Structure formats: C-alpha cells, structure tokens
Amino acid sequence: LEISGVSYGGISDNAILALNQGAKMGNLYQNTGEGGVSRFHLQGGGDLVWNVGTGYFGCGSGKGANRVFEPASMKETLDVGEGRIKMIEIKLSQGAKPGHVGILPMAKITQEIATTRKLDFPATGDCHSPARHSSFNNDHELVAFIARVRELSGGLPVGIKMCVGEPADVASLCKAMAEIGNGPDFITVDGAEGGTGAAPPELSNSVGLPLEEGLVLVRNMLVGSGLKDKTKINASGRVVSGFSLVRTIALGADITSAARAFMMSLGCIQALKCNTNKCPTGK
C-alpha cells in the first residue's frame, strides 16, 4: 500500500508532514503529488515517490504552457532529497481530471510553495499545469524520456500514472515498449472514481474508465505483450478498505494506492473546497 499523490499546495504543510510521518510508521511510500518535493515531505522520515507532472515542478522552469523539463533542476531536487526519493512517477493523467490541467490558485501560492515548485514569488497569477508534457509527443518518445529520467536519477525505478481512456492508447504504449525493449518499471492505473475536491464534476463523473475496468485492461495488455514480468501495476481509485485492497490485488495489481482514506484520517470532511483556500478543517 502507498499513500497516493496529494500535492503540497493542495493540502497544508502540517498535512504533508503528518502523512510522511505516517508513511514512516507504516513502512509505506508517500507519493508527493505533482506539486514537487517540499521540506515537509522530507522532515517526517518516510520514503517518497516523486510525482512529475506536466508542470515539471521541482525539475523544470517557465510559465504556464511553456514549462519545460530541466535535468539540472531534477538533480538538484534529488540531491536535496538525500536518498529519500525511492521512485519517480511521470503523471500522464489522473482519474479525477483526465485531460484537464491542475490549477493552484494565486491566493494559495506562498513563498514556501513557490520555492518547492521553483516558481516566481510573489505570484502574479494562478499556477496552471500545462495540458500536456513538452518532453515527448508519442509513445516512443515517452519510453525514451522514461529511460532518460532513469539515467539522470542514477537508476531509480521510473513509472507512469494514467487514467485509462481509449484502450488503443494502452495497446500503442505496449507496442512501443516491446519494440524498443524498454519502458516504465511500473504503471499506476488511476480509476475515474479517484478524487480531488477541486475536480470538475463533469470530468470526474463522465471521463475515463473506472479502476476495475482500467486495471484489468492494462494487466491484460501487458500479459498479451509479454511485458507483465517487467512492469509492475499500481492501482488507485477509492481503495478505502481491506476488501477493496484485496479485490484490487485479485484483479491484477501488484500494489495499491490510497489518498482518500488517508485524507479522512487527517480530518478531511470532503467539503470540496480544496481549490478555494477556504477548507473548514484547514487540511
């Protein structure tokens, strides 16, 4: 079990620290979410999976749609992590908002958040993640980028995160992996039911496959392509109980992730005000 990605900026410094301390106590990984690796991720002593989204926060520069990946910036963050970053996850999409960019309102951008994300401060506008990655344009280029990140990180496992939309997209990725003989060490399959209070309802309710369908599809595609023994599957999407965890493993996942359950353990009441800076419980 892994604590799924919840970004610093999306939730507070104390919430990030509490999750990391819990990860250490439970011998779990904490996924940073796309907001970068903050000092609060590092204070609790737990291991981290660094989520790298389209904004390349902590490993890139530029504004809005012009954000680009920078190897030197990635190395700087890895060095600051002092060995605590155990894996890197390249986020293609997520269940709550597939095909939709992440937005951090200007009112929430503090000096600490700007430092973590390597943004200008004071902020002059909302922080928008680009709609797509600038480092690759197709499956073959994605596989090459994965190999590049793995090399830059000194050999850390590198995976991808996606909410499955078109089955043909998964087939195309598997084809590229087989042709090149390289690819992600793991694939995180996020179900459309995976959540964030900032998600537009029309996307979270209508776009992307539910976890059960997406997981089975990815598992079968990997098996059919002869790649399953080389690629682990992580699965997330309302894994909130022991039964849902066991069911997800039975459907083909090697590991599961949960964010909702951990957020509620912190006191989240699902007020759906994550994007307003007016959470009544201050998480």
Side-chain angles (χ1 to χ4, degrees):
L1 181 64
E2 169 194 88
I3 300 176
S4 194
V6 186
S7 298
Y8 176 51
I11 59 176
S12 69
D13 47 7
N14 287 332
I16 290 291
L17 178 58
L19 289 174
N20 193 258
Q21 290 173 330
K24 181 175 177 59
M25 293 172 64
N27 195 28
L28 311 175
Y29 289 103
Q30 179 188 14
N31 190 303
T32 64
E34 70 172 317
V37 183
S38 73
R39 64 185 178 94
F40 305 105
H41 285 104
L42 301 172
Q43 287 179 1
D47 289 336
L48 298 171
V49 179
W50 181 9
N51 180 296
V52 175
T54 58
Y56 303 117
F57 299 125
C59 59
S61 64
K63 295 183 179 180
N66 297 317
R67 294 284 300 180
V68 295
F69 176 74
E70 290 185 342
S73 184
M74 167 166 275
K75 186 178 185 307
E76 181 180 287
T77 298
L78 289 168
D79 289 344
V80 170
E82 296 181 337
R84 295 274 309 291
I85 298 171
K86 302 297 185 180
M87 296 190 289
I88 297 173
E89 178 184 81
I90 300 167
K91 189 181 86 168
L92 306 182
S93 63
Q94 68 182 85
K97 44 189 177 182
H100 191 75
V101 300
I103 300 174
L104 184 65
M106 183 175 68
K108 297 187 74 171
I109 303 175
T110 63
Q111 175 69 74
E112 191 78 46
I113 291 172
T115 299
T116 297
R117 297 193 177 205
K118 299 186 187 299
L119 303 174
D120 294 334
F121 187 82
T124 57
D126 298 340
C127 176
H128 290 253
S129 296
R132 58 183 299 281
H133 280 270
S134 61
S135 295
F136 48 87
N137 294 302
N138 53 53
D139 294 306
H140 283 75
E141 291 181 8
L142 168 59
V143 172
F145 182 66
I146 290 168
R148 183 186 183 197
V149 170
R150 187 184 294 118
E151 182 179 359
L152 289 169
S153 69
L156 292 180
V158 178
I160 59 174
K161 177 179 181 178
M162 63 179 177
C163 177
V164 179
E166 289 286 344
D169 291 340
V170 182
S172 177
L173 174 61
C174 289
K175 182 172 184 284
M177 291 165 60
E179 289 176 349
I180 297 174
N182 204 333
D185 296 295
F186 63 92
I187 296 176
T188 299
V189 181
D190 199 20
E193 65 270 49
T196 166
E202 66 274 13
L203 291 181
S204 58
N205 294 341
S206 307
V207 181
L209 292 183
L211 174 60
E212 184 174 318
E213 296 178 34
L215 170 59
V216 171
L217 174 69
V218 171
R219 184 261 178 194
N220 289 347
M221 289 282 190
L222 289 173
V223 170
S225 303
L227 300 169
K228 181 61 188 71
D229 60 332
K230 302 175 183 177
T231 311
K232 301 299 183 182
I233 299 177
N234 184 9
S236 63
R238 293 191 185 175
V239 179
V240 296
S241 67
F243 179 80
S244 58
L245 188 154
V246 171
R247 180 188 63 193
T248 304
I249 295 294
L251 288 171
D254 297 291
I255 184 175
T256 62
S257 294
R260 188 186 312 262
F262 288 104
M263 284 294 295
M264 294 181 74
S265 75
L266 292 176
C268 171
I269 60 172
Q270 300 188 91
L272 305 181
K273 294 184 180 294
C274 310
N275 58 322
T276 66
N277 209 26
K278 295 180 180 179
C279 171
T281 60
K283 304 307 173 190

